[in-house]
Short mmCIF file of all heavy atoms in Angstrom, two decimals:
data_model
loop_
_atom_site.label_atom_id
_atom_site.label_comp_id
_atom_site.label_asym_id
_atom_site.label_seq_id
_atom_site.Cartn_x
_atom_site.Cartn_y
_atom_site.Cartn_z
N GLN A 121 0.81 -1.21 0.00
CA GLN A 121 0.00 0.00 0.00
C GLN A 121 0.84 1.26 0.00
O GLN A 121 0.53 2.20 -0.69
CB GLN A 121 -0.91 0.02 1.22
CG GLN A 121 -2.04 -0.95 1.15
CD GLN A 121 -2.88 -0.86 2.42
OE1 GLN A 121 -2.48 -0.24 3.39
NE2 GLN A 121 -4.04 -1.47 2.38
N ASN A 122 1.88 1.29 0.77
CA ASN A 122 2.69 2.50 0.88
C ASN A 122 3.86 2.42 -0.09
O ASN A 122 5.02 2.32 0.30
CB ASN A 122 3.16 2.67 2.32
CG ASN A 122 2.00 2.77 3.28
OD1 ASN A 122 0.97 3.32 2.94
ND2 ASN A 122 2.14 2.23 4.46
N THR A 123 3.52 2.50 -1.36
CA THR A 123 4.52 2.37 -2.43
C THR A 123 4.47 3.59 -3.35
O THR A 123 3.48 4.32 -3.35
CB THR A 123 4.24 1.11 -3.27
OG1 THR A 123 2.98 1.29 -3.94
CG2 THR A 123 4.21 -0.14 -2.42
N PRO A 124 5.51 3.80 -4.14
CA PRO A 124 5.47 4.89 -5.11
C PRO A 124 4.28 4.79 -6.07
O PRO A 124 3.69 5.80 -6.44
CB PRO A 124 6.80 4.75 -5.85
CG PRO A 124 7.71 4.11 -4.86
CD PRO A 124 6.82 3.14 -4.10
N ASP A 125 3.92 3.57 -6.47
CA ASP A 125 2.78 3.40 -7.37
C ASP A 125 1.48 3.85 -6.72
O ASP A 125 0.63 4.49 -7.36
CB ASP A 125 2.64 1.94 -7.82
CG ASP A 125 3.74 1.53 -8.79
OD1 ASP A 125 4.37 2.41 -9.40
OD2 ASP A 125 3.96 0.32 -8.93
N CYS A 126 1.32 3.55 -5.45
CA CYS A 126 0.13 3.95 -4.71
C CYS A 126 0.09 5.48 -4.59
O CYS A 126 -0.96 6.11 -4.80
CB CYS A 126 0.12 3.30 -3.34
SG CYS A 126 -1.36 3.61 -2.38
N LEU A 127 1.22 6.07 -4.28
CA LEU A 127 1.31 7.52 -4.18
C LEU A 127 0.94 8.17 -5.51
O LEU A 127 0.14 9.11 -5.55
CB LEU A 127 2.73 7.91 -3.77
CG LEU A 127 3.04 9.40 -3.63
CD1 LEU A 127 2.22 10.02 -2.52
CD2 LEU A 127 4.52 9.60 -3.39
N ALA A 128 1.49 7.65 -6.59
CA ALA A 128 1.19 8.19 -7.92
C ALA A 128 -0.28 8.05 -8.26
O ALA A 128 -0.87 8.93 -8.89
CB ALA A 128 2.06 7.48 -8.96
N ALA A 129 -0.89 6.95 -7.84
CA ALA A 129 -2.31 6.73 -8.13
C ALA A 129 -3.17 7.79 -7.44
O ALA A 129 -4.12 8.32 -8.05
CB ALA A 129 -2.73 5.34 -7.69
N TYR A 130 -2.86 8.10 -6.19
CA TYR A 130 -3.64 9.13 -5.49
C TYR A 130 -3.48 10.50 -6.14
O TYR A 130 -4.43 11.27 -6.25
CB TYR A 130 -3.26 9.20 -4.01
CG TYR A 130 -3.95 8.14 -3.19
CD1 TYR A 130 -3.22 7.14 -2.58
CD2 TYR A 130 -5.33 8.14 -3.03
CE1 TYR A 130 -3.85 6.15 -1.83
CE2 TYR A 130 -5.97 7.16 -2.30
CZ TYR A 130 -5.22 6.18 -1.69
OH TYR A 130 -5.86 5.21 -0.96
N ILE A 131 -2.28 10.80 -6.60
CA ILE A 131 -2.06 12.08 -7.28
C ILE A 131 -2.82 12.12 -8.60
O ILE A 131 -3.44 13.12 -8.94
CB ILE A 131 -0.55 12.34 -7.46
CG1 ILE A 131 0.08 12.55 -6.07
CG2 ILE A 131 -0.30 13.53 -8.36
CD1 ILE A 131 1.58 12.61 -6.06
N GLU A 132 -2.82 11.02 -9.31
CA GLU A 132 -3.57 10.95 -10.57
C GLU A 132 -5.07 11.07 -10.31
O GLU A 132 -5.79 11.75 -11.05
CB GLU A 132 -3.26 9.66 -11.32
CG GLU A 132 -3.92 9.57 -12.67
CD GLU A 132 -3.51 10.67 -13.64
OE1 GLU A 132 -2.42 11.24 -13.50
OE2 GLU A 132 -4.30 10.98 -14.55
N MET A 133 -5.55 10.42 -9.25
CA MET A 133 -6.97 10.55 -8.89
C MET A 133 -7.31 12.00 -8.61
O MET A 133 -8.35 12.50 -9.04
CB MET A 133 -7.29 9.69 -7.67
CG MET A 133 -7.35 8.21 -7.96
SD MET A 133 -7.47 7.15 -6.49
CE MET A 133 -8.67 7.95 -5.48
N SER A 134 -6.42 12.68 -7.91
CA SER A 134 -6.64 14.09 -7.61
C SER A 134 -6.73 14.91 -8.90
O SER A 134 -7.60 15.77 -9.04
CB SER A 134 -5.52 14.63 -6.73
OG SER A 134 -5.66 16.01 -6.53
N ASN A 135 -5.84 14.63 -9.84
CA ASN A 135 -5.87 15.34 -11.12
C ASN A 135 -7.19 15.11 -11.86
O ASN A 135 -7.75 16.04 -12.44
CB ASN A 135 -4.70 14.90 -12.00
CG ASN A 135 -3.37 15.39 -11.49
OD1 ASN A 135 -3.29 16.38 -10.79
ND2 ASN A 135 -2.31 14.66 -11.82
N ILE A 136 -7.67 13.88 -11.84
CA ILE A 136 -8.93 13.57 -12.52
C ILE A 136 -10.09 14.29 -11.85
O ILE A 136 -10.92 14.91 -12.51
CB ILE A 136 -9.14 12.04 -12.57
CG1 ILE A 136 -8.10 11.41 -13.49
CG2 ILE A 136 -10.57 11.71 -13.01
CD1 ILE A 136 -8.02 9.91 -13.39
N TYR A 137 -10.15 14.19 -10.51
CA TYR A 137 -11.22 14.90 -9.79
C TYR A 137 -11.18 16.40 -10.07
O TYR A 137 -12.22 17.03 -10.28
CB TYR A 137 -11.11 14.65 -8.28
CG TYR A 137 -11.62 13.30 -7.84
CD1 TYR A 137 -10.88 12.54 -6.94
CD2 TYR A 137 -12.84 12.79 -8.28
CE1 TYR A 137 -11.34 11.31 -6.50
CE2 TYR A 137 -13.29 11.56 -7.85
CZ TYR A 137 -12.55 10.82 -6.96
OH TYR A 137 -13.01 9.60 -6.53
N ALA A 138 -9.98 16.97 -10.07
CA ALA A 138 -9.85 18.40 -10.34
C ALA A 138 -10.36 18.75 -11.73
O ALA A 138 -11.05 19.76 -11.91
CB ALA A 138 -8.41 18.85 -10.16
N SER A 139 -10.06 17.90 -12.70
CA SER A 139 -10.52 18.17 -14.07
C SER A 139 -12.04 18.08 -14.19
O SER A 139 -12.63 18.67 -15.09
CB SER A 139 -9.84 17.22 -15.06
OG SER A 139 -10.37 15.91 -14.95
N LEU A 140 -12.65 17.35 -13.26
CA LEU A 140 -14.11 17.23 -13.25
C LEU A 140 -14.76 18.31 -12.38
O LEU A 140 -15.98 18.32 -12.22
CB LEU A 140 -14.52 15.84 -12.72
CG LEU A 140 -14.10 14.65 -13.59
CD1 LEU A 140 -14.37 13.34 -12.86
CD2 LEU A 140 -14.85 14.70 -14.92
N GLY A 141 -13.94 19.17 -11.80
CA GLY A 141 -14.46 20.23 -10.95
C GLY A 141 -14.84 19.77 -9.55
O GLY A 141 -15.59 20.45 -8.85
N ARG A 142 -14.32 18.63 -9.14
CA ARG A 142 -14.65 18.07 -7.83
C ARG A 142 -13.49 18.34 -6.86
O ARG A 142 -12.73 17.45 -6.52
CB ARG A 142 -14.95 16.58 -7.97
CG ARG A 142 -16.20 16.33 -8.80
CD ARG A 142 -16.42 14.89 -9.13
NE ARG A 142 -16.53 14.05 -7.95
CZ ARG A 142 -16.70 12.74 -8.00
NH1 ARG A 142 -16.80 12.13 -9.18
NH2 ARG A 142 -16.78 12.04 -6.90
N LYS A 143 -13.38 19.61 -6.44
CA LYS A 143 -12.26 20.06 -5.62
C LYS A 143 -12.16 19.30 -4.30
O LYS A 143 -11.07 18.92 -3.89
CB LYS A 143 -12.40 21.56 -5.35
CG LYS A 143 -11.38 22.09 -4.37
CD LYS A 143 -10.42 23.02 -5.02
CE LYS A 143 -9.50 23.71 -4.04
NZ LYS A 143 -8.40 22.90 -3.58
N ALA A 144 -13.27 19.07 -3.63
CA ALA A 144 -13.23 18.38 -2.33
C ALA A 144 -12.65 16.97 -2.50
O ALA A 144 -11.83 16.53 -1.69
CB ALA A 144 -14.61 18.32 -1.71
N ASP A 145 -13.06 16.28 -3.55
CA ASP A 145 -12.53 14.93 -3.81
C ASP A 145 -11.06 14.99 -4.20
O ASP A 145 -10.26 14.12 -3.80
CB ASP A 145 -13.34 14.23 -4.90
CG ASP A 145 -14.74 13.88 -4.45
OD1 ASP A 145 -14.92 13.51 -3.27
OD2 ASP A 145 -15.67 13.97 -5.26
N ALA A 146 -10.68 16.00 -4.99
CA ALA A 146 -9.28 16.17 -5.39
C ALA A 146 -8.41 16.40 -4.15
O ALA A 146 -7.35 15.79 -4.01
CB ALA A 146 -9.15 17.33 -6.37
N ASP A 147 -8.87 17.27 -3.26
CA ASP A 147 -8.11 17.54 -2.03
C ASP A 147 -8.03 16.30 -1.14
O ASP A 147 -6.99 16.03 -0.53
CB ASP A 147 -8.74 18.69 -1.25
CG ASP A 147 -8.53 20.04 -1.92
OD1 ASP A 147 -7.76 20.11 -2.91
OD2 ASP A 147 -9.14 21.02 -1.47
N SER A 148 -9.10 15.56 -1.08
CA SER A 148 -9.11 14.33 -0.28
C SER A 148 -8.07 13.34 -0.80
O SER A 148 -7.35 12.71 -0.02
CB SER A 148 -10.50 13.70 -0.29
OG SER A 148 -10.51 12.50 0.43
N ALA A 149 -7.98 13.20 -2.10
CA ALA A 149 -7.00 12.29 -2.70
C ALA A 149 -5.58 12.77 -2.39
O ALA A 149 -4.69 11.96 -2.12
CB ALA A 149 -7.22 12.17 -4.21
N LEU A 150 -5.35 14.08 -2.40
CA LEU A 150 -4.02 14.60 -2.07
C LEU A 150 -3.70 14.37 -0.60
O LEU A 150 -2.56 14.04 -0.26
CB LEU A 150 -3.94 16.10 -2.39
CG LEU A 150 -3.88 16.45 -3.88
CD1 LEU A 150 -3.93 17.95 -4.06
CD2 LEU A 150 -2.65 15.85 -4.54
N ARG A 151 -4.68 14.52 0.28
CA ARG A 151 -4.43 14.24 1.69
C ARG A 151 -4.10 12.76 1.89
O ARG A 151 -3.25 12.40 2.70
CB ARG A 151 -5.63 14.67 2.54
CG ARG A 151 -5.67 16.17 2.76
CD ARG A 151 -6.66 16.60 3.83
NE ARG A 151 -8.05 16.55 3.42
CZ ARG A 151 -8.64 17.40 2.60
NH1 ARG A 151 -7.95 18.39 2.09
NH2 ARG A 151 -9.91 17.28 2.30
N GLN A 152 -4.76 11.90 1.14
CA GLN A 152 -4.46 10.47 1.21
C GLN A 152 -3.05 10.20 0.67
O GLN A 152 -2.33 9.35 1.20
CB GLN A 152 -5.49 9.66 0.42
CG GLN A 152 -5.39 8.18 0.63
CD GLN A 152 -5.69 7.77 2.06
OE1 GLN A 152 -6.50 8.36 2.74
NE2 GLN A 152 -5.00 6.73 2.52
N ALA A 153 -2.64 10.94 -0.35
CA ALA A 153 -1.28 10.80 -0.88
C ALA A 153 -0.26 11.16 0.19
O ALA A 153 0.76 10.47 0.34
CB ALA A 153 -1.10 11.68 -2.12
N ILE A 154 -0.52 12.22 0.96
CA ILE A 154 0.39 12.60 2.04
C ILE A 154 0.44 11.51 3.10
O ILE A 154 1.51 11.18 3.62
CB ILE A 154 -0.01 13.96 2.64
CG1 ILE A 154 0.27 15.08 1.64
CG2 ILE A 154 0.72 14.22 3.95
CD1 ILE A 154 -0.27 16.43 2.03
N PHE A 155 -0.70 10.92 3.40
CA PHE A 155 -0.77 9.81 4.37
C PHE A 155 0.14 8.66 3.91
O PHE A 155 0.91 8.12 4.68
CB PHE A 155 -2.23 9.35 4.51
CG PHE A 155 -2.44 8.26 5.50
CD1 PHE A 155 -2.59 8.53 6.84
CD2 PHE A 155 -2.51 6.94 5.08
CE1 PHE A 155 -2.80 7.51 7.77
CE2 PHE A 155 -2.71 5.91 5.98
CZ PHE A 155 -2.85 6.21 7.33
N VAL A 156 0.03 8.31 2.63
CA VAL A 156 0.86 7.23 2.06
C VAL A 156 2.33 7.64 2.10
O VAL A 156 3.20 6.86 2.51
CB VAL A 156 0.42 6.91 0.62
CG1 VAL A 156 1.43 6.02 -0.09
CG2 VAL A 156 -0.95 6.24 0.63
N LEU A 157 2.61 8.87 1.69
CA LEU A 157 3.98 9.36 1.66
C LEU A 157 4.64 9.27 3.03
O LEU A 157 5.78 8.83 3.16
CB LEU A 157 3.98 10.81 1.18
CG LEU A 157 5.31 11.55 1.17
CD1 LEU A 157 6.25 10.93 0.16
CD2 LEU A 157 5.09 13.01 0.88
N ASP A 158 3.91 9.66 4.05
CA ASP A 158 4.47 9.64 5.40
C ASP A 158 4.77 8.24 5.91
O ASP A 158 5.52 8.07 6.86
CB ASP A 158 3.52 10.34 6.38
CG ASP A 158 3.50 11.85 6.18
OD1 ASP A 158 4.41 12.38 5.52
OD2 ASP A 158 2.55 12.48 6.68
N ARG A 159 4.19 7.23 5.28
CA ARG A 159 4.39 5.85 5.72
C ARG A 159 5.31 5.04 4.80
O ARG A 159 5.57 3.88 5.05
CB ARG A 159 3.04 5.16 5.86
CG ARG A 159 2.36 5.59 7.15
CD ARG A 159 0.86 5.61 7.06
NE ARG A 159 0.29 6.19 8.26
CZ ARG A 159 0.20 7.50 8.50
NH1 ARG A 159 0.66 8.37 7.64
NH2 ARG A 159 -0.34 7.95 9.62
N MET A 160 5.80 5.68 3.76
CA MET A 160 6.71 4.99 2.85
C MET A 160 8.08 4.82 3.50
O MET A 160 8.52 5.67 4.28
CB MET A 160 6.84 5.77 1.54
CG MET A 160 5.59 5.66 0.68
SD MET A 160 5.61 6.72 -0.78
CE MET A 160 7.01 6.07 -1.66
N GLU A 161 8.74 3.74 3.18
CA GLU A 161 10.06 3.46 3.73
C GLU A 161 11.09 4.43 3.16
O GLU A 161 11.05 4.79 1.99
CB GLU A 161 10.47 2.03 3.40
CG GLU A 161 9.60 0.99 4.06
CD GLU A 161 10.03 -0.42 3.72
OE1 GLU A 161 11.22 -0.61 3.38
OE2 GLU A 161 9.19 -1.32 3.79
N ASP A 162 12.01 4.85 4.01
CA ASP A 162 13.06 5.78 3.60
C ASP A 162 13.89 5.23 2.44
O ASP A 162 14.36 5.99 1.60
CB ASP A 162 13.98 6.10 4.77
CG ASP A 162 13.29 6.96 5.82
OD1 ASP A 162 12.35 7.71 5.47
OD2 ASP A 162 13.68 6.87 6.99
N ALA A 163 14.06 3.93 2.39
CA ALA A 163 14.87 3.31 1.33
C ALA A 163 14.31 3.62 -0.05
O ALA A 163 15.06 3.74 -1.02
CB ALA A 163 14.94 1.80 1.55
N LEU A 164 12.99 3.76 -0.16
CA LEU A 164 12.39 4.07 -1.46
C LEU A 164 12.85 5.43 -1.97
O LEU A 164 13.00 5.63 -3.16
CB LEU A 164 10.87 4.03 -1.36
CG LEU A 164 10.26 2.66 -1.06
CD1 LEU A 164 8.77 2.78 -0.80
CD2 LEU A 164 10.51 1.70 -2.22
N PHE A 165 13.07 6.35 -1.05
CA PHE A 165 13.53 7.67 -1.46
C PHE A 165 15.02 7.65 -1.79
O PHE A 165 15.45 8.33 -2.71
CB PHE A 165 13.22 8.69 -0.35
CG PHE A 165 11.77 8.98 -0.27
CD1 PHE A 165 10.96 8.27 0.59
CD2 PHE A 165 11.19 9.94 -1.07
CE1 PHE A 165 9.61 8.50 0.66
CE2 PHE A 165 9.83 10.19 -1.02
CZ PHE A 165 9.04 9.46 -0.15
N ALA A 166 15.79 6.88 -1.07
CA ALA A 166 17.22 6.76 -1.35
C ALA A 166 17.43 6.20 -2.76
O ALA A 166 18.31 6.66 -3.50
CB ALA A 166 17.89 5.87 -0.32
N GLU A 167 16.60 5.23 -3.15
CA GLU A 167 16.72 4.62 -4.47
C GLU A 167 16.38 5.61 -5.58
O GLU A 167 16.98 5.59 -6.64
CB GLU A 167 15.78 3.41 -4.57
CG GLU A 167 16.18 2.24 -3.71
CD GLU A 167 15.11 1.16 -3.65
OE1 GLU A 167 14.14 1.23 -4.43
OE2 GLU A 167 15.24 0.26 -2.81
N SER A 168 15.39 6.46 -5.34
CA SER A 168 14.93 7.36 -6.40
C SER A 168 15.71 8.66 -6.46
O SER A 168 15.62 9.38 -7.45
CB SER A 168 13.45 7.70 -6.18
OG SER A 168 13.30 8.54 -5.06
N GLY A 169 16.44 8.98 -5.39
CA GLY A 169 17.17 10.24 -5.36
C GLY A 169 16.32 11.42 -4.96
O GLY A 169 16.78 12.55 -4.94
N ARG A 170 15.06 11.19 -4.64
CA ARG A 170 14.16 12.26 -4.20
C ARG A 170 14.17 12.34 -2.69
O ARG A 170 14.49 11.38 -2.02
CB ARG A 170 12.74 11.98 -4.68
CG ARG A 170 12.61 12.09 -6.18
CD ARG A 170 11.19 12.30 -6.56
NE ARG A 170 10.68 13.48 -5.90
CZ ARG A 170 10.02 14.44 -6.52
NH1 ARG A 170 9.80 14.35 -7.79
NH2 ARG A 170 9.55 15.46 -5.86
N GLU A 171 13.77 13.47 -2.19
CA GLU A 171 13.66 13.66 -0.76
C GLU A 171 12.19 13.65 -0.35
O GLU A 171 11.35 14.22 -1.04
CB GLU A 171 14.28 14.98 -0.33
CG GLU A 171 15.78 15.03 -0.51
CD GLU A 171 16.36 16.34 -0.04
OE1 GLU A 171 15.65 17.10 0.66
OE2 GLU A 171 17.51 16.62 -0.38
N ARG A 172 11.90 13.01 0.76
CA ARG A 172 10.52 12.93 1.25
C ARG A 172 9.95 14.33 1.49
O ARG A 172 8.83 14.63 1.09
CB ARG A 172 10.46 12.12 2.54
CG ARG A 172 9.07 11.98 3.11
CD ARG A 172 9.05 11.34 4.49
NE ARG A 172 9.84 10.14 4.57
CZ ARG A 172 9.37 8.90 4.33
NH1 ARG A 172 8.12 8.73 4.01
NH2 ARG A 172 10.17 7.86 4.43
N ASP A 173 10.73 15.20 2.13
CA ASP A 173 10.23 16.54 2.45
C ASP A 173 9.90 17.34 1.20
O ASP A 173 8.90 18.06 1.15
CB ASP A 173 11.23 17.30 3.32
CG ASP A 173 11.34 16.71 4.71
OD1 ASP A 173 10.42 15.98 5.14
OD2 ASP A 173 12.34 16.99 5.38
N ALA A 174 10.74 17.23 0.18
CA ALA A 174 10.49 17.95 -1.06
C ALA A 174 9.22 17.44 -1.73
O ALA A 174 8.42 18.22 -2.24
CB ALA A 174 11.68 17.81 -2.00
N THR A 175 9.03 16.14 -1.72
CA THR A 175 7.82 15.55 -2.30
C THR A 175 6.59 16.00 -1.52
O THR A 175 5.56 16.36 -2.10
CB THR A 175 7.92 14.01 -2.31
OG1 THR A 175 9.09 13.63 -3.04
CG2 THR A 175 6.71 13.38 -2.94
N ARG A 176 6.70 16.01 -0.20
CA ARG A 176 5.58 16.44 0.64
C ARG A 176 5.23 17.90 0.37
O ARG A 176 4.06 18.26 0.24
CB ARG A 176 5.92 16.24 2.12
CG ARG A 176 4.74 16.37 3.04
CD ARG A 176 5.18 16.08 4.48
NE ARG A 176 4.18 15.47 5.29
CZ ARG A 176 3.07 16.06 5.72
NH1 ARG A 176 2.81 17.28 5.36
NH2 ARG A 176 2.21 15.41 6.47
N ARG A 177 6.23 18.76 0.27
CA ARG A 177 5.98 20.18 -0.01
C ARG A 177 5.30 20.34 -1.36
O ARG A 177 4.42 21.19 -1.52
CB ARG A 177 7.29 20.96 0.03
CG ARG A 177 7.78 21.27 1.43
CD ARG A 177 8.90 22.29 1.43
NE ARG A 177 10.04 21.89 0.61
CZ ARG A 177 11.05 21.13 1.05
NH1 ARG A 177 11.06 20.68 2.28
NH2 ARG A 177 12.04 20.82 0.25
N GLN A 178 5.69 19.54 -2.33
CA GLN A 178 5.09 19.61 -3.65
C GLN A 178 3.60 19.26 -3.60
O GLN A 178 2.78 19.93 -4.19
CB GLN A 178 5.85 18.66 -4.58
CG GLN A 178 5.66 18.92 -6.03
CD GLN A 178 6.60 18.06 -6.86
OE1 GLN A 178 7.07 17.03 -6.43
NE2 GLN A 178 6.87 18.50 -8.07
N ILE A 179 3.27 18.20 -2.87
CA ILE A 179 1.87 17.79 -2.73
C ILE A 179 1.10 18.85 -1.95
O ILE A 179 -0.03 19.22 -2.32
CB ILE A 179 1.76 16.41 -2.07
CG1 ILE A 179 2.37 15.34 -2.98
CG2 ILE A 179 0.30 16.07 -1.76
CD1 ILE A 179 2.51 13.98 -2.32
N GLU A 180 1.68 19.36 -0.87
CA GLU A 180 1.01 20.38 -0.07
C GLU A 180 0.76 21.65 -0.88
O GLU A 180 -0.25 22.32 -0.68
CB GLU A 180 1.80 20.69 1.19
CG GLU A 180 1.72 19.56 2.20
CD GLU A 180 2.63 19.76 3.40
OE1 GLU A 180 3.61 20.54 3.31
OE2 GLU A 180 2.35 19.11 4.43
N SER A 181 1.65 21.98 -1.81
CA SER A 181 1.44 23.17 -2.62
C SER A 181 0.24 22.97 -3.55
O SER A 181 -0.49 23.93 -3.85
CB SER A 181 2.69 23.52 -3.43
OG SER A 181 2.87 22.62 -4.50
N LEU A 182 -0.01 21.75 -3.98
CA LEU A 182 -1.20 21.46 -4.78
C LEU A 182 -2.46 21.65 -3.94
O LEU A 182 -3.48 22.16 -4.44
CB LEU A 182 -1.16 20.03 -5.32
CG LEU A 182 -0.07 19.71 -6.34
CD1 LEU A 182 -0.04 18.22 -6.63
CD2 LEU A 182 -0.29 20.51 -7.61
N LEU A 183 -2.40 21.28 -2.68
CA LEU A 183 -3.55 21.46 -1.77
C LEU A 183 -3.83 22.94 -1.53
O LEU A 183 -4.98 23.34 -1.39
CB LEU A 183 -3.30 20.78 -0.43
CG LEU A 183 -3.73 19.34 -0.29
CD1 LEU A 183 -3.20 18.76 1.02
CD2 LEU A 183 -5.22 19.21 -0.35
N ALA A 184 -2.78 23.74 -1.50
CA ALA A 184 -2.92 25.15 -1.18
C ALA A 184 -3.51 25.95 -2.34
O ALA A 184 -4.07 27.02 -2.14
CB ALA A 184 -1.57 25.74 -0.79
N ASN A 185 -3.39 25.44 -3.55
CA ASN A 185 -3.91 26.16 -4.73
C ASN A 185 -5.38 25.83 -4.94
O ASN A 185 -5.74 24.68 -5.04
CB ASN A 185 -3.10 25.78 -5.97
CG ASN A 185 -1.69 26.31 -5.91
OD1 ASN A 185 -1.46 27.39 -5.38
ND2 ASN A 185 -0.75 25.54 -6.41
N PRO A 186 -6.18 26.90 -5.05
CA PRO A 186 -7.63 26.66 -5.26
C PRO A 186 -7.95 26.12 -6.63
O PRO A 186 -7.23 26.04 -7.50
CB PRO A 186 -8.24 28.03 -5.07
CG PRO A 186 -7.14 29.01 -5.04
CD PRO A 186 -5.86 28.27 -4.88
#
């Protein structure tokens, strides 16, 4: 469950909801993405070269935009 694929799926769901004008559902999917992100193993980030905090800030910035 707490995998990069799962994280990507929630972000994609958010994009789809946003395109349909369903902001509450889009935001909910992003909050779920943060939940998944916070539970992902650190090793997954070491492998990808990304930082957890940077990824989290990126998702949070999507939540902050109306």
Side-chain angles (χ1 to χ4, degrees):
Q121 288 179 348
N122 301 325
T123 65
D125 289 340
C126 185
L127 179 64
Y130 279 115
I131 293 171
E132 184 61 25
M133 286 171 44
S134 175
N135 290 335
I136 292 167
Y137 283 135
S139 73
L140 295 171
R142 295 172 58 181
K143 173 113 173 78
D145 291 323
D147 288 351
S148 177
L150 288 175
R151 283 193 285 286
Q152 190 65 33
I154 290 171
F155 182 84
V156 168
L157 176 66
D158 288 344
R159 283 149 187 80
M160 287 173 62
E161 295 180 24
D162 290 333
L164 294 172
F165 289 93
E167 292 170 10
S168 71
R170 292 201 57 132
E171 293 182 14
R172 180 188 312 270
D173 291 341
T175 302
R176 192 177 213 290
R177 282 192 303 273
Q178 199 172 23
I179 295 170
E180 287 173 340
S181 74
L182 294 172
L183 270 171
N185 292 325

